[in-house]
Amino acid sequence: MALNYIYPDYEIIRNYDRCIACRVCERQCANQAHEYLDTGKIVCDDAKCVNCHRCVTLCPSRALKIIKSGNAYKENKNWSGKIINEIYRQAGTGGVLLSSMGNPEDYPVYFDKILLNASQVTNPPIDPLREPMETKVSLGTKPHGIERGESGRVRNNLPPRISLSMPVMFSAMSYGSISYNAHESLARAAEELGILYNTGEGGLHEDFYKYGRNTVVQVASGRFGVHIGYLNSGAAIEIKMGQGAKPGIGGHLPGTKIVGDISRTRMIPEGSDAISPAPHHDIYSIEDLRQLVYSLKEATEYKKPVIVKIAAVHNVTAIASGIARSGADIIAIDGFRGGTGAAPTRIRDHVGIPIELALAGVDQRLRDEGIRDNVSIIAGGSIRSSTDIVKAVALGADCVYIASAALIALGCHLCRSCHAGKCNWGIATQVPELVKRLNPDLGYERLVNLMKAWRHEIMEMMGGMGINSIESLKGNRLMLRGVGMSERELEILGIKHAGE
Ligand code: SF4
Ligand code: SF4
Ligand code: SF4
């Protein structure tokens, strides 16, 4: 028998005084961590537990809890238990370590070091319950001037734009990486809220064409599911050049997940791996990108704004400057804490830069170069709350992308096991019995509730600052102060230290 070097990360603690042997935990755990024995006793295998909390939440007698294993290696500041376990794992499998969701490592979260302003005596606060507040945003290229026709009348030369009821969109999550029911929840919520959701790189299921006005259709390097009907079906087209969780590498959806509708939607045979190459094979320069931007515009008769999505990497400001000159209408920047359905752990945890620094740098550079109006900016990569949104807008974003927060609203417990395809909450899975666990009626309602709550909080924060329109907050860094940051960090963010 092969020697298992690794002690499980988590321990399942069952209080047998409370357990009524109902077997709910056994049925709910797709990882088969619980087992009912003929003797009437329920036992568990800690090694199979990914700490998704499904059994804990549904146990009718609150008999279960999952704790972090107390088993420790001999103390060593250099060789932590995590590193030792990773070496054991790779020595056993010979494979790349895989992970999902966002970077969990202990890097600074700049949003948490930024504080918001509030009005006191002069420029008094505004009460959002009594006075009108504007949270609508419009994304896209702004015209450079007013044009008049021969009769002298003003020509409507406004390029196509995206209108949103609040500065939020649901970020790209492909059908395949998340379930049909998760997609339906996002699409219906986007429609109800007057915002947009994003197909991700897996094409668009025929059932969801009816939500086209609230859909961003993505074109990624694999070009899965891309055809003229698809391009015309959405409100905007997004070219995915990169993703915050895995900058510089492509994507891989295993053949086991390419079944039924997913294979049809992606336009690839059942069982074949969906591998997106790291680069677009027709893009090696900004000029190449420009060609694709205009090909997509030409194909859709210049009716759709084009978004170019990039990962926040070291020279993001120069890249964004090029994109702003490429004819794209919107740049989406995805920070290094952004989520994913699957990524090599080393890449997810060590490549890229924080969205706060990337966003502030890009906004400033585009202003300095006089091309800020060429494009709108979407910021993504672990936007966790309404305060993160307000801070992102004040740092220069026109709008944010959220994904992990939306999945958490649907029930995700951040177990970071999406790549295994056995999501116990029915989100990152295609297993029919698991998909059914996410009720789209409830999912849609929870997303709408979350966004309504955040919108109200955004209005309260704006009101506190004496601002009644989100447009007045955009890039308004005077509303921000930093705490616990170096001079250089404050300089890049373009904000003052608290007390100044
Ligand atoms: S769900 Fe709770 S009560 Fe039911 S068998 Fe499991 S631990 Fe016992
Ligand atoms: S994987 Fe989830 S459902 Fe299974 S034992 Fe662990 S917490 Fe419970
Ligand atoms: S979507 Fe599912 S598998 Fe992925 S982190 Fe959330 S609960 Fe875990």
Side-chain angles (χ1 to χ4, degrees):
M1 183 181 136
L3 187 59
N4 189 353
Y5 290 81
I6 304 172
Y7 192 83
D9 287 338
Y10 301 101
E11 288 176 26
I12 304 168
I13 307 292
R14 190 186 319 271
N15 182 336
Y16 282 100
D17 290 337
R18 289 186 170 200
C19 176
I20 53 172
C22 66
R23 300 178 72 175
V24 165
C25 50
E26 187 188 41
R27 286 193 295 277
Q28 290 296 323
C29 182
N31 298 317
Q32 294 160 331
H34 301 271
E35 189 187 354
Y36 184 79
L37 302 179
D38 292 342
T39 57
K41 191 172 179 183
I42 298 227
V43 294
C44 48
D45 180 349
D46 295 333
K48 292 179 177 169
C49 177
V50 296
N51 196 6
C52 78
H53 270 214
R54 179 81 184 178
C55 60
V56 174
T57 311
L58 294 189
C59 169
S61 60
R62 295 269 181 261
L64 287 169
K65 65 178 170 186
I66 312 292
I67 61 164
K68 182 102 183 90
S69 161
N71 190 47
Y73 291 98
K74 193 160 185 174
E75 198 172 317
N76 190 321
K77 295 282 184 207
N78 187 29
W79 295 94
S80 66
K82 178 171 168 284
I83 287 176
I84 295 170
N85 280 348
E86 285 171 350
I87 291 176
Y88 285 147
R89 234 170 246 137
Q90 290 191 292
T93 64
V96 169
L97 294 170
L98 274 183
S99 301
S100 348
M101 301 306 278
N103 187 336
E105 297 299 320
D106 189 18
Y107 294 100
V109 179
Y110 287 100
F111 283 134
D112 293 342
K113 297 178 175 210
I114 294 175
L115 296 170
L116 297 170
N117 194 25
S119 301
Q120 291 300 291
V121 180
T122 56
N123 184 25
I126 300 165
D127 185 342
L129 291 177
R130 291 177 178 78
E131 305 201 37
M133 306 285 283
E134 188 56 88
T135 59
K136 281 187 197 152
V137 290
S138 170
L139 308 185
T141 306
K142 287 189 180 147
H144 296 293
I146 294 173
E147 284 177 21
R148 292 183 185 276
E150 282 174 11
S151 65
R153 295 185 65 178
V154 174
R155 272 201 189 123
N156 180 4
N157 60 343
L158 203 61
R161 298 175 68 82
I162 296 173
S163 293
L164 306 169
S165 64
M166 60 189 289
V168 177
M169 293 200 273
F170 297 132
S171 186
M173 289 177 273
S174 70
Y175 176 46
S177 74
I178 59 170
S179 65
Y180 180 99
N181 287 1
H183 253 254
E184 183 181 337
S185 305
L186 289 163
R188 285 171 57 187
E191 183 181 53
E192 169 75 21
L193 291 160
I195 62 171
L196 270 59
Y197 84 110
N198 190 313
T199 60
E201 65 170 306
L204 181 61
H205 191 289
E206 58 189 8
D207 293 355
F208 300 142
Y209 273 71
K210 60 183 180 230
Y211 302 108
R213 283 161 51 124
N214 299 90
T215 307
V216 176
V217 293
Q218 196 179 68
V219 176
S221 60
R223 310 277 156 94
F224 300 119
V226 176
H227 53 82
I228 189 64
Y230 169 77
L231 295 175
N232 274 315
S233 69
I237 302 169
E238 179 173 85
I239 302 171
K240 179 192 170 189
M241 297 302 302
Q243 184 177 343
K246 42 185 173 181
I249 67 166
H252 180 190
L253 196 65
T256 49
K257 287 192 177 178
I258 309 296
V259 290
D261 277 355
I262 294 163
S263 123
R264 274 190 292 284
T265 305
R266 290 195 177 225
M267 304 187 333
I268 53 173
E270 287 210 18
S272 61
D273 286 15
I275 297 175
S276 322
H280 286 248
H281 285 314
D282 50 357
I283 300 179
Y284 291 93
S285 65
I286 290 291
E287 290 73 22
D288 292 344
L289 174 65
R290 185 179 174 82
Q291 290 217 358
L292 181 59
V293 167
Y294 278 97
S295 299
L296 294 171
K297 288 190 177 208
E298 188 78 34
T300 52
E301 298 174 349
Y302 293 84
K303 289 182 181 158
K304 317 279 177 188
V306 173
I307 307 169
V308 174
K309 179 179 176 179
I310 50 168
V313 289
H314 297 184
N315 55 345
V316 64
T317 59
I319 298 165
S321 169
I323 294 171
R325 297 164 201 276
S326 72
D329 303 273
I330 301 164
I331 302 176
I333 312 167
D334 199 17
F336 84 147
R337 290 191 302 268
T340 174
T345 310
R346 304 295 182 219
I347 304 281
R348 185 196 65 177
D349 296 354
H350 299 277
V351 181
I353 63 170
I355 185 58
E356 303 91 323
L357 301 178
L359 166 62
V362 167
D363 177 62
Q364 193 57 51
R365 176 150 182 171
L366 299 187
R367 283 173 196 275
D368 291 347
E369 294 181 358
I371 52 172
R372 181 62 182 86
D373 283 347
N374 281 16
V375 282
S376 294
I377 300 176
I378 307 172
S382 195
I383 299 288
R384 304 157 300 170
S385 65
S386 55
T387 38
D388 286 355
I389 297 174
V390 169
K391 291 172 188 178
V393 171
L395 283 174
D398 293 82
C399 159
V400 301
Y401 262 153
I402 67 161
S404 299
L407 297 191
I408 292 170
L410 294 179
C412 164
H413 277 53
L414 273 185
C415 70
R416 304 201 298 268
S417 306
C418 318
H419 55 286
K422 291 193 280 188
C423 175
N424 274 321
W425 293 92
I427 300 166
T429 182
Q430 305 308 325
V431 179
E433 313 78 79
L434 298 178
V435 173
K436 270 192 272 176
R437 291 181 182 180
L438 175 61
N439 176 344
D441 292 338
L442 196 59
Y444 141 83
E445 197 180 307
R446 291 179 61 81
L447 287 166
V448 170
N449 284 344
L450 180 72
M451 288 302 103
K452 281 188 171 165
W454 282 14
R455 181 169 177 267
H456 189 76
E457 289 173 344
I458 290 169
M459 291 196 295
E460 281 186 334
M461 284 179 268
M462 281 167 39
M465 292 181 230
I467 287 174
N468 62 4
S469 159
I470 199 89
E471 269 299 316
S472 309
L473 181 64
K474 194 174 84 184
N476 189 345
R477 300 181 198 195
L478 288 173
M479 292 298 134
L480 306 176
R481 288 291 187 273
V483 283
M485 283 191 262
S486 68
E487 282 296 323
R488 189 72 185 120
E489 288 169 314
L490 291 167
E491 194 184 321
I492 294 168
L493 290 167
I495 62 173
K496 292 181 176 170
H497 199 280
E500 283 186 279

